[in-house]
Amino acid sequence: MDANGGGNGPGSEARQGHTVPAEAWEQAEMRAALAVRDVSAVYRLLRKHGISQRQIAALTGQSQSEVSEILKGRQVMAYDVLTRIADGLGVQRGYMGLAYDEATAIRVVGSVGGQQAEEDESVKRRRFLAHAAQVTMGAAVFGPESGTWSAGPARTPAPGRIGMTDVRQVEAATRALRALDYQYGGGFCRDAVVAQLSWGQQMLEANGTEVVKNRLFVALADLHSLAGWTSFDTGLLDSARGHFANALDLAKQGDNHPLVANVLYRMGRVYLHQDAPNDALKLFQLGQIAAQESGSELAVSVLCANEAWAYAMMGNEEQAVKLLGRSKDEFERANLAEAESWVKFFTETDVYAMVGTVHTVLAQQNADHTKYAIPALTRAVDTYDDDMARSKAFMLSALATNHLLEGDIDHGAKVGGKAIDCAESLKSERVKDRMKPLREEAERRSNNPDARDLAGRLHDFYAA
């Protein structure tokens, strides 16, 4: 046909051929693939339903080569592409956690562009601390907390009744997105986390058994916590605070003390990042209460390690070293096999990483601490794999800083170069912040050619 006939235009085969049967989207295997946005698995399942590769391409507006690559395992992460695929195939966006638009996103995670409210940051920290105390101890220890942290998400179609399968899909999506955060940084997956959260939040209004609803509280608390962490990693601190506040409420509703402890630990890390160790310490101490109530030695170990970090930033060497020792003792006592999922991230490698991190802070005040920091950081760097690229970048940067402080400038510059190589693949504002001590030490030694070259590379990295 000619141009006006349209017989050979894009999508003509999709119109002429059969569409995806509605029941295909309701099958358990398909729902599981949709929940974690495994488009490759979705396409493979469609092939089993008789939908050809060519028809998939026509329905989704992709080229056949793109469809072929996805069938071979290529991941699809871009929000606009995911929505185009969902709409083209006729699958409900909510099944893929895509039931959100810009207005909903603003209501769920805060203002567009991460613009900070005019309220003074110290007041915001105090409000969050008061909220955390209310959740943890059931009383307004630091004064009354008023106002809500974020408006409810806009209403979109959601299941009228939910079962354990629906909750497991939220949990599976959270695990998949957290893995992407570890490997590529929060900037890579934050929008996807927000989209999943928008859908998950609406499940709170659905009917379900008490057991299902309690598990949903915990699943959404963990998803809010991930939203807070990825917001923090991209520099959106107000959004992070709102998500962590909501995570605390939901974890408390689900009666999950280890998760309360984990959320407080993460918000405390935000305050360490803001050079507010005193406020961070208060949150870690509240988290310690929840950790001890849970009976989880691993959760206690995490909180002790971070309290040590706060004390180190405050210049209290004695308390920092004491709490590091307790963190190691609690870790050795912990039953790792039975630990809650939210603290399983804290492995022996992370213990070494925290020991190295705390001694790095102390080394900037007293260079003698490099003898403790360097072996711990080296052990952590050697153990982290590519799935933990951000953590590895942190540790390489700290290790290079210690070598410079120790006077081994040649080796420090080499390790610093590896830190930059690792950091360049990440979408994380925190990496740049954590590398500031390395930049300062390199610039301080710029009369040395190796240090000068490292300082130049760091300058280019920050300018990029």
Side-chain angles (χ1 to χ4, degrees):
M1 289 188 180
D2 62 21
N4 294 324
N8 295 319
S12 60
E13 182 177 347
R15 290 192 298 271
Q16 294 170 0
H18 54 284
T19 57
V20 183
E23 59 270 18
W25 307 121
E26 304 305 322
Q27 295 177 359
E29 191 177 5
M30 180 67 84
R31 288 289 296 275
L34 291 169
V36 296
R37 304 191 187 94
D38 187 347
V39 179
S40 179
V42 171
Y43 283 5
R44 287 196 297 272
L45 290 168
L46 289 177
R47 297 285 289 111
K48 291 181 180 179
H49 282 280
I51 308 299
S52 70
Q53 185 173 317
R54 197 169 177 183
Q55 287 171 323
I56 293 172
L59 288 165
T60 60
Q62 296 175 298
S63 66
Q64 287 193 56
S65 62
E66 283 181 287
V67 173
S68 178
E69 288 177 11
I70 292 169
L71 281 165
K72 292 175 183 176
R74 195 191 85 187
Q75 287 188 333
V76 178
M77 291 302 301
Y79 181 81
D80 59 336
V81 177
L82 288 168
T83 53
R84 190 174 78 235
I85 289 171
D87 293 344
L89 294 175
V91 61
Q92 292 185 41
R93 286 191 181 189
Y95 285 6
M96 298 177 74
L98 300 171
Y100 108 113
D101 53 23
E102 185 177 17
T104 305
I106 293 171
R107 298 184 70 186
V108 173
V109 301
S111 59
V112 173
Q115 294 179 347
Q116 303 294 309
E118 294 181 1
E119 185 180 19
D120 183 77
E121 178 60 32
S122 64
V123 176
K124 295 176 187 177
R125 287 201 294 266
R126 187 172 180 81
R127 284 186 65 236
F128 186 90
L129 183 60
H131 180 75
Q134 286 179 308
V135 170
T136 309
M137 305 176 71
V141 177
F142 299 94
E145 191 277 333
S146 61
T148 57
W149 292 98
S150 66
R155 308 282 284 181
T156 53
R161 184 172 183 82
I162 59 170
M164 203 60 79
T165 298
D166 297 290
V167 180
R168 289 194 190 103
Q169 288 173 354
V170 174
E171 294 168 342
T174 303
R175 286 194 298 272
L177 291 165
R178 180 168 280 126
L180 292 171
D181 169 57
Y182 283 143
Q183 188 169 4
Y184 301 112
F188 183 82
C189 61
R190 178 179 174 273
D191 285 349
V193 176
V194 169
Q196 183 65 42
L197 183 59
S198 176
W199 173 249
Q201 280 283 112
Q202 295 165 78
M203 293 169 67
L204 290 171
E205 303 300 322
N207 295 318
T209 66
E210 184 176 353
V211 172
V212 169
K213 293 302 285 282
N214 281 340
R215 184 157 168 179
L216 178 62
F217 290 145
V218 176
L220 290 179
D222 193 30
L223 187 55
H224 262 298
S225 181
L226 179 59
W229 195 246
T230 53
S231 295
F232 167 42
D233 202 47
T234 50
L236 302 176
L237 300 184
D238 275 357
S239 290
R241 187 171 9 237
H243 282 300
F244 286 133
N246 286 326
L248 280 179
D249 290 337
L250 287 163
K252 187 70 171 180
Q253 282 183 275
D255 195 30
N256 195 294
H257 294 294
L259 185 51
V260 169
N262 186 274
V263 173
L264 290 169
Y265 136 72
R266 291 182 184 280
M267 192 61 209
R269 288 287 287 267
V270 174
Y271 290 163
L272 286 185
H273 173 82
Q274 292 180 300
D275 291 323
N278 190 47
D279 289 325
L281 182 61
K282 291 173 184 175
L283 289 178
F284 294 146
Q285 289 169 339
L286 284 173
Q288 192 67 262
I289 294 171
Q292 290 171 359
E293 286 181 358
S294 75
S296 169
E297 291 89 354
L298 190 58
V300 172
S301 177
V302 171
L303 270 300
C304 284
N306 282 275
E307 288 176 68
W309 193 349
Y311 276 118
M313 290 179 66
M314 294 163 68
N316 191 330
E317 178 181 336
E318 182 180 355
Q319 278 293 95
V321 173
K322 179 181 176 181
L323 280 160
L324 271 184
R326 187 183 170 197
S327 177
K328 288 187 282 187
D329 291 343
E330 294 288 347
F331 182 83
E332 290 173 2
R333 292 174 52 222
N335 186 336
L336 303 182
E338 296 182 4
E340 291 273 357
S341 60
W342 352 105
V343 289
K344 280 189 175 179
F345 76 91
F346 198 69
T347 64
E348 185 178 26
T349 300
D350 295 284
V351 174
Y352 284 110
M354 287 301 298
V355 169
T357 297
V358 171
H359 281 291
T360 298
V361 174
L362 294 172
Q364 292 170 71
Q365 305 160 22
N366 179 354
D368 287 345
H369 283 274
T370 58
K371 64 185 178 185
Y372 304 110
I374 289 174
L377 292 168
T378 301
R379 178 73 175 266
V381 166
D382 290 344
T383 310
Y384 279 133
D385 56 24
D386 291 340
D387 290 341
M388 299 293 288
R390 182 175 55 203
S391 295
K392 189 170 186 176
F394 289 160
M395 295 307 105
L396 283 167
S397 176
L399 182 57
T401 302
N402 277 278
H403 282 303
L404 294 182
L405 287 167
E406 198 177 45
D408 190 354
I409 299 177
D410 174 60
H411 191 56
K414 289 179 181 177
V415 176
K418 292 179 181 178
I420 297 171
D421 290 340
C422 191
E424 284 175 338
S425 67
L426 298 165
K427 293 184 178 180
S428 170
E429 288 300 311
R430 279 197 301 145
V431 170
K432 289 185 176 181
D433 289 325
R434 290 281 289 273
M435 292 178 74
K436 285 179 181 177
L438 176 60
R439 182 176 64 174
E440 291 171 3
E441 296 302 328
E443 290 175 348
R444 191 171 289 133
R445 294 161 177 78
S446 58
N447 58 325
N448 179 286
D450 292 321
R452 188 164 54 249
D453 288 345
L454 176 61
R457 278 204 66 189
L458 284 164
H459 179 271
D460 293 342
F461 171 67
Y462 278 91

mmCIF file of all heavy atoms in Angstrom, residues 4 47 146 152 179 207 223 229 280 310 347 371 375 386 459:
data_model
loop_
_atom_site.group_PDB
_atom_site.id
_atom_site.type_symbol
_atom_site.label_atom_id
_atom_site.label_comp_id
_atom_site.label_asym_id
_atom_site.label_seq_id
_atom_site.Cartn_x
_atom_site.Cartn_y
_atom_site.Cartn_z
ATOM 1 N N ASN A 4 -0.612 6.556 2.318
ATOM 2 C CA ASN A 4 -1.901 6.859 2.924
ATOM 3 C C ASN A 4 -2.643 5.611 3.373
ATOM 4 O O ASN A 4 -3.558 5.676 4.178
ATOM 5 C CB ASN A 4 -2.780 7.642 1.930
ATOM 6 C CG ASN A 4 -2.210 9.004 1.636
ATOM 7 O OD1 ASN A 4 -1.656 9.633 2.522
ATOM 8 N ND2 ASN A 4 -2.351 9.467 0.399
ATOM 9 N N ARG A 47 6.081 -15.240 24.386
ATOM 10 C CA ARG A 47 6.379 -16.147 23.272
ATOM 11 C C ARG A 47 5.658 -17.481 23.470
ATOM 12 O O ARG A 47 5.181 -18.096 22.518
ATOM 13 C CB ARG A 47 7.896 -16.380 23.158
ATOM 14 C CG ARG A 47 8.696 -15.121 22.833
ATOM 15 C CD ARG A 47 8.554 -14.701 21.378
ATOM 16 N NE ARG A 47 9.253 -15.612 20.496
ATOM 17 C CZ ARG A 47 8.672 -16.441 19.641
ATOM 18 N NH1 ARG A 47 7.367 -16.473 19.535
ATOM 19 N NH2 ARG A 47 9.394 -17.225 18.871
ATOM 20 N N SER A 146 4.693 17.687 65.231
ATOM 21 C CA SER A 146 3.444 18.064 64.580
ATOM 22 C C SER A 146 3.611 17.991 63.075
ATOM 23 O O SER A 146 4.705 18.094 62.553
ATOM 24 C CB SER A 146 3.034 19.480 64.980
ATOM 25 O OG SER A 146 4.016 20.414 64.582
ATOM 26 N N GLY A 152 -0.502 11.823 51.223
ATOM 27 C CA GLY A 152 -0.793 10.508 50.674
ATOM 28 C C GLY A 152 -0.711 10.537 49.159
ATOM 29 O O GLY A 152 -0.994 11.551 48.535
ATOM 30 N N ALA A 179 19.538 -4.172 45.047
ATOM 31 C CA ALA A 179 20.748 -4.683 44.396
ATOM 32 C C ALA A 179 21.272 -3.686 43.369
ATOM 33 O O ALA A 179 22.488 -3.469 43.256
ATOM 34 C CB ALA A 179 20.457 -6.033 43.729
ATOM 35 N N ASN A 207 -8.365 -4.850 51.085
ATOM 36 C CA ASN A 207 -8.739 -5.811 52.108
ATOM 37 C C ASN A 207 -7.735 -6.958 52.128
ATOM 38 O O ASN A 207 -7.152 -7.310 51.098
ATOM 39 C CB ASN A 207 -10.144 -6.363 51.838
ATOM 40 C CG ASN A 207 -11.209 -5.287 51.953
ATOM 41 O OD1 ASN A 207 -11.165 -4.462 52.861
ATOM 42 N ND2 ASN A 207 -12.175 -5.297 51.033
ATOM 43 N N LEU A 223 10.512 -0.756 51.793
ATOM 44 C CA LEU A 223 10.536 -0.033 50.516
ATOM 45 C C LEU A 223 10.689 1.468 50.758
ATOM 46 O O LEU A 223 11.429 2.152 50.027
ATOM 47 C CB LEU A 223 9.266 -0.331 49.726
ATOM 48 C CG LEU A 223 9.194 0.202 48.291
ATOM 49 C CD1 LEU A 223 10.395 -0.263 47.471
ATOM 50 C CD2 LEU A 223 7.904 -0.245 47.631
ATOM 51 N N TRP A 229 16.955 5.899 51.306
ATOM 52 C CA TRP A 229 18.389 5.694 51.074
ATOM 53 C C TRP A 229 18.801 6.150 49.679
ATOM 54 O O TRP A 229 19.837 6.794 49.512
ATOM 55 C CB TRP A 229 18.727 4.221 51.277
ATOM 56 C CG TRP A 229 20.179 3.917 51.432
ATOM 57 C CD1 TRP A 229 20.971 3.201 50.583
ATOM 58 C CD2 TRP A 229 21.038 4.309 52.521
ATOM 59 N NE1 TRP A 229 22.250 3.129 51.072
ATOM 60 C CE2 TRP A 229 22.319 3.791 52.261
ATOM 61 C CE3 TRP A 229 20.820 5.043 53.698
ATOM 62 C CZ2 TRP A 229 23.390 3.992 53.119
ATOM 63 C CZ3 TRP A 229 21.896 5.241 54.552
ATOM 64 C CH2 TRP A 229 23.159 4.721 54.269
ATOM 65 N N ALA A 280 23.291 12.585 64.901
ATOM 66 C CA ALA A 280 23.374 11.209 64.412
ATOM 67 C C ALA A 280 23.479 10.236 65.578
ATOM 68 O O ALA A 280 22.821 9.185 65.595
ATOM 69 C CB ALA A 280 24.579 11.059 63.493
ATOM 70 N N ALA A 310 30.270 8.173 64.863
ATOM 71 C CA ALA A 310 29.842 9.483 65.362
ATOM 72 C C ALA A 310 30.809 10.014 66.412
ATOM 73 O O ALA A 310 31.201 11.188 66.384
ATOM 74 C CB ALA A 310 28.428 9.381 65.934
ATOM 75 N N THR A 347 28.010 -7.877 56.862
ATOM 76 C CA THR A 347 28.821 -9.085 56.875
ATOM 77 C C THR A 347 30.172 -8.809 57.527
ATOM 78 O O THR A 347 30.452 -7.685 57.958
ATOM 79 C CB THR A 347 29.053 -9.574 55.443
ATOM 80 O OG1 THR A 347 29.822 -8.566 54.738
ATOM 81 C CG2 THR A 347 27.731 -9.791 54.705
ATOM 82 N N LYS A 371 47.729 2.765 61.074
ATOM 83 C CA LYS A 371 48.175 1.374 61.232
ATOM 84 C C LYS A 371 47.007 0.435 61.525
ATOM 85 O O LYS A 371 47.125 -0.782 61.333
ATOM 86 C CB LYS A 371 49.237 1.275 62.335
ATOM 87 C CG LYS A 371 48.749 1.638 63.725
ATOM 88 C CD LYS A 371 49.907 1.618 64.714
ATOM 89 C CE LYS A 371 49.463 2.028 66.125
ATOM 90 N NZ LYS A 371 50.592 2.134 67.054
ATOM 91 N N PRO A 375 45.093 -1.974 57.274
ATOM 92 C CA PRO A 375 44.797 -3.411 57.103
ATOM 93 C C PRO A 375 43.307 -3.728 57.044
ATOM 94 O O PRO A 375 42.883 -4.614 56.288
ATOM 95 C CB PRO A 375 45.455 -4.066 58.334
ATOM 96 C CG PRO A 375 45.708 -2.962 59.294
ATOM 97 C CD PRO A 375 45.886 -1.724 58.484
ATOM 98 N N ASP A 386 31.959 -6.641 42.396
ATOM 99 C CA ASP A 386 31.367 -5.600 41.554
ATOM 100 C C ASP A 386 29.935 -5.271 41.954
ATOM 101 O O ASP A 386 29.429 -4.197 41.630
ATOM 102 C CB ASP A 386 31.405 -6.025 40.081
ATOM 103 C CG ASP A 386 32.828 -6.052 39.526
ATOM 104 O OD1 ASP A 386 33.702 -5.403 40.136
ATOM 105 O OD2 ASP A 386 33.053 -6.733 38.505
ATOM 106 N N HIS A 459 40.058 16.626 40.432
ATOM 107 C CA HIS A 459 39.459 17.883 39.973
ATOM 108 C C HIS A 459 38.559 17.610 38.769
ATOM 109 O O HIS A 459 37.424 18.110 38.684
ATOM 110 C CB HIS A 459 40.545 18.877 39.614
ATOM 111 C CG HIS A 459 40.014 20.185 39.112
ATOM 112 N ND1 HIS A 459 39.757 20.404 37.758
ATOM 113 C CD2 HIS A 459 39.666 21.335 39.755
ATOM 114 C CE1 HIS A 459 39.284 21.631 37.602
ATOM 115 N NE2 HIS A 459 39.223 22.217 38.798
#
